[in-house]
Each structure stands twice: as C-alpha cells, then as structure tokens.
Amino acid sequence: MTDAALPVTPAPLFNTAVVAGVGLIGGSVALGLRQRFLARRVVGLDASMDVLREAEALGVVDEVRATPGEWLREADLVVLAAPMRALEGLARELAPLLNPAALVTDVGSVKSGIAAEMERLGVRQFVAGHPMAGSERGGVSHARAALLENAVWVLTPTDHTPLTALSRARALVEHLGAAPVVMPPGAHDDLVATVSHLPYLASLALTHMVARDERLSLLAAGGFRDLTRVASGDPRMSRDMVVENRAALRGALARFRQQLGRLEADLDDPEELLAAAHEGKRTRDSLPVVRRSLLPQKHDLVVAVPDRPNQIGAVTQALGAAGVNIKDIEVLAIREEGGALRLGLESPEEVGRAAALLRAEGFEVRGRS
Amino acid sequence: MTDAALPVTPAPLFNTAVVAGVGLIGGSVALGLRQRFLARRVVGLDASMDVLREAEALGVVDEVRATPGEWLREADLVVLAAPMRALEGLARELAPLLNPAALVTDVGSVKSGIAAEMERLGVRQFVAGHPMAGSERGGVSHARAALLENAVWVLTPTDHTPLTALSRARALVEHLGAAPVVMPPGAHDDLVATVSHLPYLASLALTHMVARDERLSLLAAGGFRDLTRVASGDPRMSRDMVVENRAALRGALARFRQQLGRLEADLDDPEELLAAAHEGKRTRDSLPVVRRSLLPQKHDLVVAVPDRPNQIGAVTQALGAAGVNIKDIEVLAIREEGGALRLGLESPEEVGRAAALLRAEGFEVRGRS
C-alpha cells in the first residue's frame, strides 16, 4: 500500500503502545506504529538488554523496558510479540498489570492456545492475531514497517470477544497497511496447518531424503530448491510452530497422505493423472502473488540478456535515461527462459515505450506469456 | 560457462547432426551445436511443419525434414528429443535408417526404458542422456543454447555401451557447456524419482488440498507458492514423466512416507524434531544453486529500497554511471528483508566500491548474511 492510499489518521489511534518482544515482527509493528504516527509513544519490552539497545539504536521504539511493572497501566495498546514458546508465559505475567481498557493482541502463528489462555486470564479486550509476514531472517535488525504492508493479517476473535475490541484491532491492522481477515482461532489453525505447517514438514522430509544420499544433492537443483526453501527458516521457530499446532497439523497430514495416495493410484490411470496435473496447474497459477516485488506488478516486459557483462546495467540505464520507471525487476531463471530480465512497469504504454527503446538498443524483447 | 572458458574445438565434432524432435530441449541442443560450431550442419526432424518452419525462421537448424529416410545415413550424430511418450516409437522408426557409426543419444528425463529399447534394437553407439534443464515454458520458441550451459547432464551407459560411444557423448555434452555426470540408467531413475518426480507429486497433492478449500488460497502465499511452483509446469509432460518412472517413483514415495511418519512422531518429541529441523536447514542450505542468476554469483550486496517509484533505476544508474558491473540483480522478497535489492558483483572490491557509492546516494546497504 503506498502512502497516498493510506487511511487518513486525524489523531494517533493510541497514546502508549507497548510491544512485548522486540524481534522481527514486534520490531516491524513498532516501526509501523511510529512511522505511521499511530501511537504517541512506543515502548519496547524485552528480557534482553542487547535487543533493547539495538531497538533503541535503530529507532524502532521510543522507550525501552527490561521488566514488566505498574508502568504497563499507561498502555492502551499491548502487542505480545514474544516467540511462540514464550507467548503464553508472557501473557500470564502481563495480564495482572494491564489496563482493562487496553487493546491487547499477539502476533503468534497459532491461535487456539493463546486465545483460550487469554480468556482464562480474563483479558476481555484481547483479539488474537497472525500477520502472515514470515521471514528466513529474524531479529529486530531485519524489522521493517514494509514487512507488514499488504500482508494478510488474520484476526481470530472468539464468541466472547467484544465487538469494540475487534473493531479496534481491525483499525490497527488496516492502519499498519495490512489486510485484516477475520475467522475463529480453530479455523485459522486448520488453514495454516495446510498452507504453512504441512508444507514445512513435507519440505523437511524431502531434504532428509537428500541428506541420506549425497549423490542426490548433485541433481537436486531448480525445482527441488524452491520446494525446500521453507526448510531453510529458523529451526527453533519452525519447530515451535508445528509443535504448537500439532493437532491441526496431524489432520492436514492425513489429508495430504490421502491426496498422495490418490496420485500414486493414478500412476496406473494416466488419463486421471493428466486431469490431476491440469487441476494442479490451474490451482497453483491462480494463487495470489504477494512474496515477490515491491509493488503490485501488472505490466511486465521480458528482455533477453546475453551472457555478457553489464547487460543488466545497459537495460536499466537505457530505460532510466528515458524516464521509464522500473517498478520491479527480476533475473528470470536461466533454466526457464535463457538469460532474461523481467521488468515490471507502470502501464501498457510504458511497456510499449520500453520495448521500443530496448529494441533500438538491440535487445530482444517480449511481453511475458 | 563463459566463452573464454570453453573447450577449444579445432574442427567440428560432427559433420551432420540430426535433432529429432525440435522442442525446447532439442531446439536448445541444435542452437548449441550451431552457435558453438560443433557440427557442419544441423538438420531438424519433426512431424510438425509448423515447428519446422518456426525452427528454420529462428535459425535453430540449418535444414529441416518432416519424415525420416535414407538421408539419415549421412548423420554422424542423432539426438532423439521427442516428448517422452513418443520417444521409444521414434527410436524404433529411426533405428533401421541409422548409420551404425553414428553417435545416438536422447534427452528424456527417464532412462531405463529407452536404454533397454535401444539395446533390443541393436543400436550400439547409443548413450542415453538427461540434460537437467527443465522449464515451465516449452517449445522451440523458448530454445536457447544458454539453457544447457552449466546444466548437469546425466549420461547413463549400460554394461554393453562401447567406451568410444561414452567418450563421444561426454565430449558432446562438455562442448555444449554442460557438466556430464555418468551413472547407470536405473540409478538415474531412482535419483530423479526423489529429486524431481516425487517433489512434483507432493506439490500436486498440496495444490489439490487448496483446490478443495477456497479459503486456503487466501493464505496460500510465499512459501506455499515456492513449494508448488513445479505443479505449474506442462501437465502432459509432467504426467508422462512420472508415469514412465512410476516404479522408481513408488519407491521414493515409500521413503517419503517414512520420513513424514518420523516427523509426525517427532511432534511429540520436540528435541528430536528440533534436531530434524537443524538437519533439514543444513542440507537445504548446502544444495547447489544453478537456477537463479546469469553468472555464478559470489559477491553480493543488499540495498534497502524504500517503497517509492524508480528506486531500482536510481540504484542501477548510480552504479552503472560509476562503471560498476552488475552481474546479477534480484528484488528480494519483501516478506524476507523488507524491500531490498540483491546485487551480484564481480569482486569484494566492487562490493566495497558499490556500497560506498550507494551510501553516498543515501541508500542503506549491507552485505548479505
């Protein structure tokens, strides 16, 4: 979301926002609160003095606190952003100190447990949340307000959640530039078990097969690397995530085995397998693209790039000199299109103009199929 | 591989090379043979006149033929590059017409069947091959000699393959710029079942789970898209590939289920699961990178890019103006590092120079961890 498209905020939504746990996500929330003027002051609470010092040095928060205390009563927003394994303990520690009027939320990737715990603790103005903005690189040093922009941010109210709390949580998410999606905690956990935790386990299983036969890594490139990228994330965070959601994950595993079994049976029914392959392609090609590119990419141009020095510079300079705004750029996999650059431009007109410019420079150009 | 590093070829390796089946791979082989002066003439044989016309128009081949015949006797190299399902039929059709001295090879992704068939047909100078250079985009129009450069190209001789044939096949592969890897047909089929065919089936199973619940596609981004990219390939080619290799694939599926079962059991043994997560990350991070980037990338620099127009142009122009050669460029996933560009440069010195230049322009720069 560009600033122009931001909701107008006449006054800050919150006076004192506390982010408890200043890592990648907590730090990004804090930065978003500050950069978008959503809180008059942002306090970072973390057990690690090193983290607090870094957060302060990076301008992620206005103030830092190493221990909870009466000062928490001032907070009208509390964001629990501790690692999964520490989240419920943190909730129990802070609950007695919170202002009953404060909006409380969390950013964990599994929701049933924390939602139930907060109800036990009697924190009524709580809405569990999950910004789907993961990363292979954790820590406050990688925190960016942009991490949350355009991210799907699931909010999981229970039957007991006050509508006032839900609407305040929704406003917070929208003002941070993310897209709120509301569903019950259990539904969320089932969905992420399928789209996130099962894929992690599957890619882990694939990497283990390779680890058990060195010859495999020789041939394991391209598709196999894509397929196992999620196995490259932080091991402890990934482990905690799947363990916390193991009940839903077991259900997803059972459905996955069913689908695999169907496909294995279809190895003897080529027509059915072909239909399955078509269906899979249709589904996959229709998935939303949010991972790549800084801005929504609509108007693409592909430029064939000979395997010679400085071709990328030649392309971007030819366009830059003519004032063509390159919104996104990608070196297409050489195994997919030969050496080629994909350029994301602003309009069909810009695509036409860029194509003409590049052809004049002797480049081979085509719109992407 | 850059031209400087190419093996020296005093005279063409072959007089008349015939590429039977002028698609993505066949066309890329033909282009490689021509561009690297490996054959005095390259003849394209294909049942489709449209394909032949396109191949001729694109300069992929010197001559085209729509039907086999006595003319094949002139060939001292015959590359069978028809789709999997047509490969053995093509072999049976051409075998009686081949010059016994001609080197014959194929480029199919499964090797046991064709190797056995060629022995039955008595084609002695045959070496089955598999250039591991797939693509989502098929057809001669996407053919590029570069598609084969640095690709692993498996050669699978049998106990009866003459050493002369193997050495000629190895020379062909090396002169095309690829990296020959020799192993028996059965070993190849087991390995690709694990690194290629099983991952395809697994990602197909995952996409089918999403297809059965529309809500899932809302959350299915990032890792899930990576994981299912291989499901986006040509359905018929993918289907034929896994059906042809179904015996080995069933073995890989059994091992995959074992690994999945271990991991599911480890959901109740967090320490063991953590070890598994570490092992998976170690293995995955050690996989060879051949898919991305036009040239081997050693010296990376990451530039934080604010979500504003023309930042990419600003970065590349600042470097281009100073004569810094950008060998590779990638928009890092905004969910991984905030908006950022990864630049692949030529040397540590260039990285230092580029970093200084960009900092002077007000960009935040860091070396990639």
Side-chain angles (χ1 to χ4, degrees):
Chain A
M1 186 183 285
T2 63
D3 289 339
L6 265 183
V8 181
T9 53
L13 290 174
F14 305 97
N15 285 307
T16 298
V18 173
V19 175
V22 191
L24 176 77
I25 301 294
S28 299
V29 171
L31 277 167
L33 289 167
R34 295 194 66 216
Q35 291 173 12
R36 291 159 174 273
F37 307 101
L38 303 181
R40 292 194 200 282
R41 95 191 152 119
V42 179
V43 182
L45 170 64
D46 202 288
S48 157
M49 278 311 298
D50 293 346
V51 167
L52 291 176
R53 267 189 228 95
E54 189 171 13
E56 213 164 17
L58 293 169
V60 169
V61 293
D62 300 296
E63 300 170 31
V64 298
R65 297 277 196 160
T67 54
E70 284 303 317
W71 61 269
L72 274 161
R73 300 240 176 254
E74 299 166 19
D76 51 357
L77 171 66
V78 177
V79 179
L80 306 180
M84 183 72 61
R85 79 192 81 88
L87 192 58
E88 294 187 21
L90 178 69
R92 284 188 291 271
E93 189 181 6
L94 301 194
L97 299 164
L98 299 177
N99 183 325
L103 174 67
V104 184
T105 186
D106 78 308
V107 296
S109 55
V110 183
K111 303 274 57 107
S112 300
I114 188 68
E117 182 64 20
M118 285 304 221
E119 279 186 10
R120 273 195 295 279
L121 293 167
V123 181
R124 290 200 73 244
Q125 296 286 313
F126 174 77
V127 183
H130 177 202
M132 299 195 69
S135 171
E136 273 84 62
R137 293 170 197 73
V140 66
S141 63
H142 292 107
R144 297 267 187 288
L147 188 75
L148 305 172
E149 287 170 14
N150 304 324
V152 168
W153 190 318
V154 182
L155 294 171
T156 63
T158 69
D159 297 343
H160 311 295
T161 305
L163 284 175
T164 51
L166 178 56
S167 63
R168 289 167 77 197
R170 193 196 295 267
L172 169 66
V173 169
E174 284 170 348
H175 283 79
L176 285 170
V181 174
V182 178
M183 65 182 72
H188 164 275
D189 293 352
D190 287 336
L191 293 179
V192 292
T194 300
V195 300
S196 173
H197 304 163
L198 169 64
Y200 172 71
L201 231 56
S203 81
L204 208 51
L206 286 169
T207 57
H208 286 187
M209 291 173 74
V210 172
R212 280 165 173 69
D213 186 340
E214 289 296 333
R215 301 171 308 166
L216 285 167
S217 66
L218 187 67
L219 308 188
F224 193 88
R225 291 191 83 252
D226 285 345
L227 213 76
T228 53
R229 189 181 68 84
V230 290
S232 185
D234 178 78
R236 184 170 292 275
M237 283 177 55
S238 303
R239 188 278 307 263
D240 294 343
M241 186 175 70
V242 293
V243 168
E244 172 77 15
N245 202 29
R246 60 188 177 282
L249 179 49
R250 288 202 165 97
L253 271 163
R255 292 192 298 280
F256 181 59
R257 288 197 179 90
Q258 273 181 14
Q259 293 297 332
L260 268 186
R262 282 172 55 116
L263 292 171
E264 180 166 16
D266 291 347
L267 290 174
D268 297 320
D269 183 350
E271 277 317 300
E272 183 65 20
L273 189 57
L274 181 58
H278 276 293
E279 169 69 8
K281 177 175 172 56
R282 228 185 342 265
T283 304
R284 195 277 174 182
D285 292 349
S286 70
L287 292 178
V289 182
V290 309
R291 238 189 86 260
R292 293 209 60 78
S293 91
L294 299 177
L295 293 161
Q297 50 184 274
K298 291 188 199 65
H299 311 296
D300 281 3
L301 187 68
V302 174
V303 188
V305 181
D307 195 349
R308 284 201 307 270
N310 227 358
Q311 295 305 297
I312 294 168
V315 167
T316 54
Q317 281 159 53
L319 298 183
V324 173
N325 174 15
I326 303 172
K327 298 173 80 173
D328 185 26
I329 187 166
E330 176 183 12
V331 174
L332 293 180
I334 192 166
R335 305 254 170 276
E336 288 174 16
E337 295 217 15
L341 279 178
R342 182 184 59 77
L343 304 173
L345 305 178
E346 275 177 334
S347 66
E349 295 67 34
E350 286 287 86
V351 170
R353 200 156 71 88
L357 283 161
L358 292 172
R359 289 206 179 88
E361 299 275 329
F363 286 99
E364 184 193 343
V365 170
R366 58 182 180 280
R368 193 180 201 185
S369 59
Chain B
M1 188 181 285
T2 62
D3 289 339
L6 266 182
V8 181
T9 54
L13 290 175
F14 305 98
N15 285 308
T16 298
V18 173
V19 175
V22 190
L24 176 77
I25 302 295
S28 298
V29 170
L31 278 166
L33 288 167
R34 294 194 66 216
Q35 292 173 11
R36 291 158 173 273
F37 306 102
L38 303 182
R40 293 193 199 283
R41 95 191 150 117
V42 177
V43 182
L45 169 63
D46 201 288
S48 158
M49 278 311 299
D50 293 347
V51 167
L52 291 176
R53 268 189 229 97
E54 189 171 13
E56 213 164 18
L58 293 169
V60 169
V61 293
D62 300 297
E63 300 170 29
V64 298
R65 296 277 196 163
T67 53
E70 282 305 316
W71 60 270
L72 274 162
R73 300 241 175 254
E74 300 165 19
D76 52 356
L77 171 65
V78 178
V79 179
L80 306 180
M84 183 71 62
R85 79 191 81 86
L87 192 58
E88 294 187 21
L90 179 69
R92 284 187 291 272
E93 189 181 5
L94 300 194
L97 300 163
L98 300 178
N99 183 326
L103 173 67
V104 184
T105 185
D106 79 307
V107 297
S109 55
V110 183
K111 304 272 57 105
S112 301
I114 188 67
E117 183 64 19
M118 285 306 221
E119 280 188 10
R120 272 194 296 280
L121 294 167
V123 181
R124 292 201 72 243
Q125 296 285 313
F126 174 76
V127 183
H130 176 202
M132 299 195 68
S135 170
E136 274 84 63
R137 294 171 197 74
V140 65
S141 63
H142 291 107
R144 296 267 187 287
L147 187 76
L148 305 172
E149 287 169 13
N150 305 324
V152 168
W153 190 317
V154 182
L155 294 172
T156 63
T158 68
D159 297 343
H160 311 296
T161 305
L163 284 176
T164 50
L166 178 56
S167 62
R168 289 166 76 197
R170 193 196 294 268
L172 169 65
V173 168
E174 284 170 349
H175 283 78
L176 285 170
V181 174
V182 178
M183 64 182 73
H188 165 276
D189 293 353
D190 286 337
L191 294 180
V192 292
T194 300
V195 300
S196 172
H197 305 162
L198 168 63
Y200 172 71
L201 230 56
S203 81
L204 208 51
L206 286 170
T207 56
H208 286 187
M209 291 173 72
V210 171
R212 280 167 173 67
D213 186 341
E214 290 295 332
R215 300 170 310 165
L216 285 167
S217 67
L218 188 67
L219 308 187
F224 193 87
R225 292 192 83 252
D226 286 344
L227 215 77
T228 54
R229 190 182 67 85
V230 290
S232 185
D234 178 77
R236 185 170 291 275
M237 283 177 56
S238 304
R239 188 277 307 263
D240 294 342
M241 187 175 68
V242 293
V243 167
E244 172 75 15
N245 202 28
R246 61 187 177 281
L249 179 50
R250 287 201 165 98
L253 271 163
R255 293 192 298 280
F256 181 58
R257 288 196 180 91
Q258 272 181 16
Q259 293 297 332
L260 266 186
R262 282 171 55 116
L263 292 171
E264 180 167 15
D266 291 348
L267 290 174
D268 297 321
D269 184 348
E271 276 317 301
E272 183 64 20
L273 189 57
L274 181 58
H278 277 293
E279 170 67 9
K281 178 175 171 57
R282 229 183 343 263
T283 304
R284 196 277 173 182
D285 292 348
S286 70
L287 291 179
V289 182
V290 309
R291 242 190 82 258
R292 293 208 59 78
S293 92
L294 298 177
L295 292 162
Q297 50 183 275
K298 293 187 198 65
H299 311 297
D300 280 2
L301 187 70
V302 174
V303 189
V305 181
D307 194 350
R308 286 202 305 271
N310 227 358
Q311 295 304 298
I312 295 168
V315 168
T316 55
Q317 282 158 53
L319 298 183
V324 174
N325 174 15
I326 303 172
K327 298 173 80 173
D328 186 25
I329 187 167
E330 177 182 13
V331 175
L332 293 180
I334 193 166
R335 306 254 168 277
E336 287 174 17
E337 294 216 18
L341 279 180
R342 180 184 60 75
L343 304 173
L345 305 177
E346 274 174 336
S347 66
E349 295 66 36
E350 287 286 87
V351 171
R353 202 156 70 86
L357 282 162
L358 292 172
R359 289 206 178 88
E361 298 275 329
F363 286 99
E364 184 192 345
V365 170
R366 59 181 179 280
R368 192 180 201 185
S369 58

